[in-house]
Short mmCIF file of all heavy atoms in Angstrom, two decimals:
data_model
loop_
_atom_site.label_atom_id
_atom_site.label_comp_id
_atom_site.label_asym_id
_atom_site.label_seq_id
_atom_site.Cartn_x
_atom_site.Cartn_y
_atom_site.Cartn_z
N PHE A 1 -3.81 7.95 -12.18
CA PHE A 1 -3.24 6.74 -12.77
C PHE A 1 -4.28 5.68 -13.11
O PHE A 1 -4.18 5.01 -14.15
CB PHE A 1 -2.22 6.12 -11.81
CG PHE A 1 -0.94 6.90 -11.68
CD1 PHE A 1 -0.57 7.44 -10.46
CD2 PHE A 1 -0.11 7.09 -12.78
CE1 PHE A 1 0.61 8.17 -10.34
CE2 PHE A 1 1.07 7.81 -12.67
CZ PHE A 1 1.43 8.35 -11.45
N TRP A 2 -5.28 5.51 -12.24
CA TRP A 2 -6.17 4.35 -12.39
C TRP A 2 -7.64 4.70 -12.53
O TRP A 2 -8.48 3.81 -12.60
CB TRP A 2 -5.96 3.42 -11.18
CG TRP A 2 -4.53 2.99 -11.06
CD1 TRP A 2 -3.81 2.27 -11.96
CD2 TRP A 2 -3.62 3.30 -10.00
NE1 TRP A 2 -2.52 2.09 -11.53
CE2 TRP A 2 -2.37 2.71 -10.33
CE3 TRP A 2 -3.74 3.99 -8.79
CZ2 TRP A 2 -1.26 2.82 -9.50
CZ3 TRP A 2 -2.63 4.10 -7.97
CH2 TRP A 2 -1.41 3.51 -8.32
N GLY A 3 -7.95 6.00 -12.58
CA GLY A 3 -9.32 6.40 -12.82
C GLY A 3 -10.21 6.27 -11.59
O GLY A 3 -9.77 5.96 -10.49
N GLU A 4 -11.51 6.52 -11.81
CA GLU A 4 -12.49 6.44 -10.74
C GLU A 4 -12.77 5.00 -10.37
O GLU A 4 -12.83 4.13 -11.23
CB GLU A 4 -13.79 7.12 -11.17
CG GLU A 4 -14.16 8.31 -10.34
CD GLU A 4 -15.36 9.05 -10.90
OE1 GLU A 4 -16.35 8.38 -11.26
OE2 GLU A 4 -15.30 10.28 -11.01
N LYS A 5 -12.97 4.76 -9.08
CA LYS A 5 -13.30 3.41 -8.61
C LYS A 5 -14.32 3.50 -7.48
O LYS A 5 -14.45 4.53 -6.83
CB LYS A 5 -12.03 2.70 -8.10
CG LYS A 5 -11.04 2.33 -9.19
CD LYS A 5 -9.90 1.48 -8.63
CE LYS A 5 -8.92 1.07 -9.73
NZ LYS A 5 -7.83 0.21 -9.21
N HIS A 6 -15.02 2.38 -7.25
CA HIS A 6 -15.92 2.31 -6.11
C HIS A 6 -15.09 2.30 -4.82
O HIS A 6 -13.91 1.94 -4.84
CB HIS A 6 -16.78 1.05 -6.19
CG HIS A 6 -17.75 1.06 -7.32
ND1 HIS A 6 -18.78 1.97 -7.41
CD2 HIS A 6 -17.85 0.27 -8.43
CE1 HIS A 6 -19.47 1.74 -8.50
NE2 HIS A 6 -18.93 0.73 -9.15
N PRO A 7 -15.68 2.70 -3.71
CA PRO A 7 -14.92 2.78 -2.45
C PRO A 7 -14.19 1.49 -2.09
O PRO A 7 -13.02 1.53 -1.68
CB PRO A 7 -16.00 3.11 -1.41
CG PRO A 7 -17.04 3.85 -2.20
CD PRO A 7 -17.05 3.21 -3.54
N GLU A 8 -14.85 0.34 -2.23
CA GLU A 8 -14.19 -0.91 -1.85
C GLU A 8 -13.04 -1.24 -2.80
O GLU A 8 -12.02 -1.80 -2.37
CB GLU A 8 -15.20 -2.07 -1.83
CG GLU A 8 -15.87 -2.38 -3.14
CD GLU A 8 -17.13 -1.56 -3.41
OE1 GLU A 8 -17.31 -0.53 -2.73
OE2 GLU A 8 -17.92 -1.97 -4.27
N GLN A 9 -13.16 -0.85 -4.07
CA GLN A 9 -12.07 -1.09 -5.02
C GLN A 9 -10.88 -0.18 -4.72
O GLN A 9 -9.73 -0.62 -4.78
CB GLN A 9 -12.57 -0.85 -6.45
CG GLN A 9 -13.61 -1.83 -6.92
CD GLN A 9 -14.18 -1.45 -8.27
OE1 GLN A 9 -14.41 -0.27 -8.56
NE2 GLN A 9 -14.43 -2.44 -9.11
N ARG A 10 -11.16 1.09 -4.40
CA ARG A 10 -10.07 2.02 -4.07
C ARG A 10 -9.37 1.59 -2.80
O ARG A 10 -8.14 1.71 -2.68
CB ARG A 10 -10.62 3.43 -3.96
CG ARG A 10 -9.58 4.51 -3.69
CD ARG A 10 -9.38 5.40 -4.89
NE ARG A 10 -8.70 4.79 -6.00
CZ ARG A 10 -8.82 5.23 -7.26
NH1 ARG A 10 -9.57 6.27 -7.56
NH2 ARG A 10 -8.16 4.63 -8.24
N ALA A 11 -10.12 1.11 -1.81
CA ALA A 11 -9.50 0.67 -0.55
C ALA A 11 -8.61 -0.54 -0.78
O ALA A 11 -7.49 -0.61 -0.24
CB ALA A 11 -10.60 0.35 0.47
N ALA A 12 -9.09 -1.51 -1.58
CA ALA A 12 -8.27 -2.68 -1.88
C ALA A 12 -7.04 -2.31 -2.67
O ALA A 12 -5.94 -2.83 -2.44
CB ALA A 12 -9.10 -3.71 -2.65
N GLU A 13 -7.19 -1.36 -3.60
CA GLU A 13 -6.06 -0.87 -4.39
C GLU A 13 -5.01 -0.24 -3.48
O GLU A 13 -3.80 -0.50 -3.63
CB GLU A 13 -6.57 0.17 -5.39
CG GLU A 13 -5.49 0.99 -6.08
CD GLU A 13 -6.07 2.30 -6.55
OE1 GLU A 13 -6.72 2.33 -7.62
OE2 GLU A 13 -5.88 3.33 -5.84
N LEU A 14 -5.45 0.58 -2.53
CA LEU A 14 -4.51 1.23 -1.61
C LEU A 14 -3.77 0.20 -0.76
O LEU A 14 -2.56 0.30 -0.57
CB LEU A 14 -5.28 2.21 -0.71
CG LEU A 14 -4.47 2.87 0.42
CD1 LEU A 14 -3.27 3.62 -0.13
CD2 LEU A 14 -5.36 3.82 1.21
N TYR A 15 -4.49 -0.79 -0.26
CA TYR A 15 -3.85 -1.82 0.56
C TYR A 15 -2.80 -2.58 -0.25
O TYR A 15 -1.68 -2.82 0.23
CB TYR A 15 -4.91 -2.79 1.09
CG TYR A 15 -4.34 -3.86 2.01
CD1 TYR A 15 -3.77 -3.53 3.22
CD2 TYR A 15 -4.37 -5.20 1.64
CE1 TYR A 15 -3.24 -4.50 4.07
CE2 TYR A 15 -3.85 -6.18 2.47
CZ TYR A 15 -3.28 -5.82 3.67
OH TYR A 15 -2.75 -6.78 4.50
N ASN A 16 -3.13 -2.92 -1.47
CA ASN A 16 -2.17 -3.64 -2.33
C ASN A 16 -0.97 -2.75 -2.68
O ASN A 16 0.16 -3.23 -2.77
CB ASN A 16 -2.86 -4.12 -3.60
CG ASN A 16 -3.81 -5.27 -3.34
OD1 ASN A 16 -3.60 -6.07 -2.44
ND2 ASN A 16 -4.88 -5.35 -4.12
N TYR A 17 -1.23 -1.46 -2.86
CA TYR A 17 -0.14 -0.52 -3.15
C TYR A 17 0.85 -0.50 -1.97
O TYR A 17 2.07 -0.51 -2.17
CB TYR A 17 -0.70 0.87 -3.40
CG TYR A 17 0.33 1.88 -3.85
CD1 TYR A 17 0.63 2.04 -5.20
CD2 TYR A 17 1.02 2.67 -2.94
CE1 TYR A 17 1.58 2.96 -5.63
CE2 TYR A 17 1.97 3.58 -3.35
CZ TYR A 17 2.25 3.72 -4.70
OH TYR A 17 3.21 4.63 -5.12
N CYS A 18 0.32 -0.47 -0.76
CA CYS A 18 1.18 -0.46 0.43
C CYS A 18 1.93 -1.78 0.58
O CYS A 18 3.11 -1.80 0.96
CB CYS A 18 0.35 -0.18 1.68
SG CYS A 18 -0.32 1.49 1.75
N LYS A 19 1.26 -2.88 0.28
CA LYS A 19 1.90 -4.19 0.40
C LYS A 19 3.12 -4.30 -0.52
O LYS A 19 4.09 -4.97 -0.19
CB LYS A 19 0.90 -5.30 0.06
CG LYS A 19 0.01 -5.66 1.23
CD LYS A 19 -0.96 -6.80 0.99
CE LYS A 19 -0.66 -7.71 -0.13
NZ LYS A 19 -1.66 -8.81 -0.25
N GLN A 20 3.08 -3.62 -1.66
CA GLN A 20 4.22 -3.66 -2.57
C GLN A 20 5.45 -3.02 -1.93
O GLN A 20 6.58 -3.38 -2.26
CB GLN A 20 3.88 -2.93 -3.87
CG GLN A 20 2.84 -3.65 -4.72
CD GLN A 20 2.54 -2.87 -5.99
OE1 GLN A 20 3.42 -2.60 -6.81
NE2 GLN A 20 1.28 -2.49 -6.15
N HIS A 21 5.24 -2.07 -1.03
CA HIS A 21 6.37 -1.45 -0.34
C HIS A 21 7.02 -2.41 0.65
O HIS A 21 8.19 -2.26 1.00
CB HIS A 21 5.90 -0.20 0.41
CG HIS A 21 5.94 1.05 -0.41
ND1 HIS A 21 7.10 1.55 -0.96
CD2 HIS A 21 4.95 1.91 -0.79
CE1 HIS A 21 6.83 2.65 -1.62
NE2 HIS A 21 5.53 2.90 -1.55
N ILE A 22 6.25 -3.37 1.13
CA ILE A 22 6.75 -4.31 2.13
C ILE A 22 7.31 -5.57 1.48
O ILE A 22 8.14 -6.27 2.06
CB ILE A 22 5.62 -4.69 3.11
CG1 ILE A 22 5.09 -3.43 3.80
CG2 ILE A 22 6.10 -5.66 4.18
CD1 ILE A 22 6.14 -2.65 4.57
N ALA A 23 6.87 -5.86 0.25
CA ALA A 23 7.34 -7.07 -0.44
C ALA A 23 8.86 -7.04 -0.54
O ALA A 23 9.48 -5.98 -0.68
CB ALA A 23 6.72 -7.16 -1.82
N LYS A 24 9.47 -8.20 -0.52
CA LYS A 24 10.93 -8.29 -0.57
C LYS A 24 11.45 -7.64 -1.84
O LYS A 24 10.99 -7.92 -2.94
CB LYS A 24 11.37 -9.75 -0.50
CG LYS A 24 12.87 -9.92 -0.39
CD LYS A 24 13.24 -11.38 -0.20
CE LYS A 24 14.75 -11.54 -0.08
NZ LYS A 24 15.15 -12.94 0.11
N ASN A 25 12.41 -6.76 -1.67
CA ASN A 25 13.02 -6.06 -2.79
C ASN A 25 14.38 -6.68 -3.08
O ASN A 25 15.26 -6.72 -2.23
CB ASN A 25 13.19 -4.56 -2.44
CG ASN A 25 13.61 -3.73 -3.63
OD1 ASN A 25 14.39 -4.18 -4.46
ND2 ASN A 25 13.06 -2.53 -3.73
N GLY A 26 14.55 -7.20 -4.28
CA GLY A 26 15.78 -7.90 -4.64
C GLY A 26 17.03 -7.05 -4.56
O GLY A 26 18.13 -7.57 -4.49
N ARG A 27 16.85 -5.73 -4.55
CA ARG A 27 18.03 -4.86 -4.50
C ARG A 27 18.48 -4.60 -3.07
O ARG A 27 19.48 -3.94 -2.84
CB ARG A 27 17.71 -3.53 -5.19
CG ARG A 27 17.51 -3.67 -6.69
CD ARG A 27 17.03 -2.37 -7.30
NE ARG A 27 15.74 -1.97 -6.76
CZ ARG A 27 15.13 -0.82 -7.05
NH1 ARG A 27 15.70 0.04 -7.86
NH2 ARG A 27 13.94 -0.53 -6.54
N GLU A 28 17.70 -5.07 -2.09
CA GLU A 28 18.06 -4.82 -0.71
C GLU A 28 18.25 -6.14 0.04
O GLU A 28 17.49 -7.08 -0.16
CB GLU A 28 16.96 -4.01 0.00
CG GLU A 28 16.87 -2.58 -0.49
CD GLU A 28 15.89 -1.77 0.36
OE1 GLU A 28 15.13 -2.40 1.12
OE2 GLU A 28 15.91 -0.54 0.26
N PRO A 29 19.25 -6.21 0.90
CA PRO A 29 19.49 -7.45 1.65
C PRO A 29 18.51 -7.63 2.81
O PRO A 29 18.36 -8.72 3.33
CB PRO A 29 20.91 -7.26 2.18
CG PRO A 29 21.06 -5.78 2.30
CD PRO A 29 20.28 -5.19 1.15
N ASP A 30 17.84 -6.53 3.23
CA ASP A 30 16.97 -6.63 4.40
C ASP A 30 15.57 -7.10 4.02
O ASP A 30 15.18 -7.08 2.86
CB ASP A 30 16.89 -5.27 5.11
CG ASP A 30 16.38 -4.17 4.19
OD1 ASP A 30 15.19 -4.22 3.83
OD2 ASP A 30 17.18 -3.29 3.84
N ARG A 31 14.83 -7.50 5.04
CA ARG A 31 13.44 -7.85 4.86
C ARG A 31 12.62 -6.96 5.78
O ARG A 31 13.00 -6.71 6.93
CB ARG A 31 13.20 -9.33 5.18
CG ARG A 31 13.91 -10.28 4.23
CD ARG A 31 13.65 -11.71 4.64
NE ARG A 31 12.23 -12.01 4.63
CZ ARG A 31 11.69 -13.09 5.22
NH1 ARG A 31 12.45 -13.93 5.88
NH2 ARG A 31 10.38 -13.30 5.15
N MET A 32 11.46 -6.50 5.29
CA MET A 32 10.65 -5.58 6.07
C MET A 32 9.41 -6.28 6.62
O MET A 32 8.84 -7.15 5.96
CB MET A 32 10.23 -4.39 5.21
CG MET A 32 11.36 -3.45 4.86
SD MET A 32 10.78 -1.98 3.98
CE MET A 32 10.48 -2.66 2.36
N SER A 33 9.01 -5.89 7.80
CA SER A 33 7.75 -6.33 8.36
C SER A 33 6.88 -5.10 8.58
O SER A 33 7.37 -4.03 8.97
CB SER A 33 7.96 -7.06 9.70
OG SER A 33 8.53 -6.19 10.65
N LEU A 34 5.59 -5.22 8.31
CA LEU A 34 4.68 -4.09 8.41
C LEU A 34 4.26 -3.88 9.86
O LEU A 34 3.69 -4.77 10.49
CB LEU A 34 3.45 -4.33 7.54
CG LEU A 34 2.36 -3.23 7.60
CD1 LEU A 34 2.93 -1.91 7.11
CD2 LEU A 34 1.14 -3.65 6.77
N TYR A 35 4.55 -2.70 10.37
CA TYR A 35 4.10 -2.33 11.71
C TYR A 35 2.63 -1.89 11.64
O TYR A 35 1.77 -2.45 12.32
CB TYR A 35 4.97 -1.21 12.28
CG TYR A 35 4.44 -0.61 13.56
CD1 TYR A 35 4.41 -1.33 14.74
CD2 TYR A 35 3.94 0.70 13.57
CE1 TYR A 35 3.90 -0.78 15.91
CE2 TYR A 35 3.44 1.26 14.73
CZ TYR A 35 3.41 0.52 15.89
OH TYR A 35 2.90 1.07 17.04
N ARG A 36 2.35 -0.90 10.82
CA ARG A 36 0.99 -0.41 10.68
C ARG A 36 0.93 0.55 9.49
O ARG A 36 1.93 1.16 9.12
CB ARG A 36 0.51 0.28 11.95
CG ARG A 36 -0.99 0.57 12.01
CD ARG A 36 -1.44 0.83 13.43
NE ARG A 36 -1.33 -0.39 14.23
CZ ARG A 36 -0.90 -0.43 15.48
NH1 ARG A 36 -0.49 0.68 16.06
NH2 ARG A 36 -0.84 -1.56 16.13
N ILE A 37 -0.27 0.67 8.90
CA ILE A 37 -0.52 1.66 7.85
C ILE A 37 -1.38 2.76 8.45
O ILE A 37 -2.49 2.51 8.94
CB ILE A 37 -1.23 1.03 6.64
CG1 ILE A 37 -0.39 -0.09 6.03
CG2 ILE A 37 -1.53 2.10 5.58
CD1 ILE A 37 -1.12 -0.90 4.97
N PHE A 38 -0.87 3.98 8.43
CA PHE A 38 -1.61 5.13 8.96
C PHE A 38 -2.17 5.93 7.78
O PHE A 38 -1.42 6.38 6.91
CB PHE A 38 -0.69 6.03 9.79
CG PHE A 38 -0.11 5.37 11.01
CD1 PHE A 38 1.06 4.62 10.93
CD2 PHE A 38 -0.71 5.52 12.25
CE1 PHE A 38 1.61 4.01 12.05
CE2 PHE A 38 -0.17 4.91 13.38
CZ PHE A 38 0.99 4.16 13.28
N TYR A 39 -3.47 6.12 7.78
CA TYR A 39 -4.12 6.86 6.69
C TYR A 39 -4.72 8.14 7.26
O TYR A 39 -5.52 8.11 8.19
CB TYR A 39 -5.21 6.02 6.03
CG TYR A 39 -5.90 6.72 4.88
CD1 TYR A 39 -5.40 6.62 3.58
CD2 TYR A 39 -7.03 7.49 5.09
CE1 TYR A 39 -6.02 7.28 2.52
CE2 TYR A 39 -7.65 8.15 4.05
CZ TYR A 39 -7.15 8.04 2.77
OH TYR A 39 -7.76 8.70 1.73
N TYR A 40 -4.33 9.29 6.67
CA TYR A 40 -4.75 10.60 7.17
C TYR A 40 -5.63 11.32 6.13
O TYR A 40 -5.25 11.44 4.96
CB TYR A 40 -3.53 11.48 7.47
CG TYR A 40 -2.55 10.83 8.40
CD1 TYR A 40 -1.55 9.98 7.91
CD2 TYR A 40 -2.61 11.05 9.77
CE1 TYR A 40 -0.65 9.36 8.77
CE2 TYR A 40 -1.71 10.44 10.64
CZ TYR A 40 -0.73 9.60 10.12
OH TYR A 40 0.16 8.99 10.96
N ASP A 41 -6.77 11.77 6.59
CA ASP A 41 -7.67 12.49 5.68
C ASP A 41 -8.61 13.34 6.53
O ASP A 41 -8.45 13.42 7.75
CB ASP A 41 -8.46 11.49 4.81
CG ASP A 41 -8.69 12.01 3.39
OD1 ASP A 41 -8.84 13.24 3.23
OD2 ASP A 41 -8.72 11.20 2.46
N ALA A 42 -9.58 13.95 5.88
CA ALA A 42 -10.54 14.79 6.60
C ALA A 42 -11.96 14.25 6.42
O ALA A 42 -12.30 13.72 5.36
CB ALA A 42 -10.46 16.23 6.10
#
């Protein structure tokens, strides 16, 4: 989707991508709080 990026740019992109999942969604009455982001790799 977004092409090659430097490590710090990709990390910031991933964090912002996750934050969008926590942002208030107008279609849902609930509000979410972030417990933790678990990242799995090798």
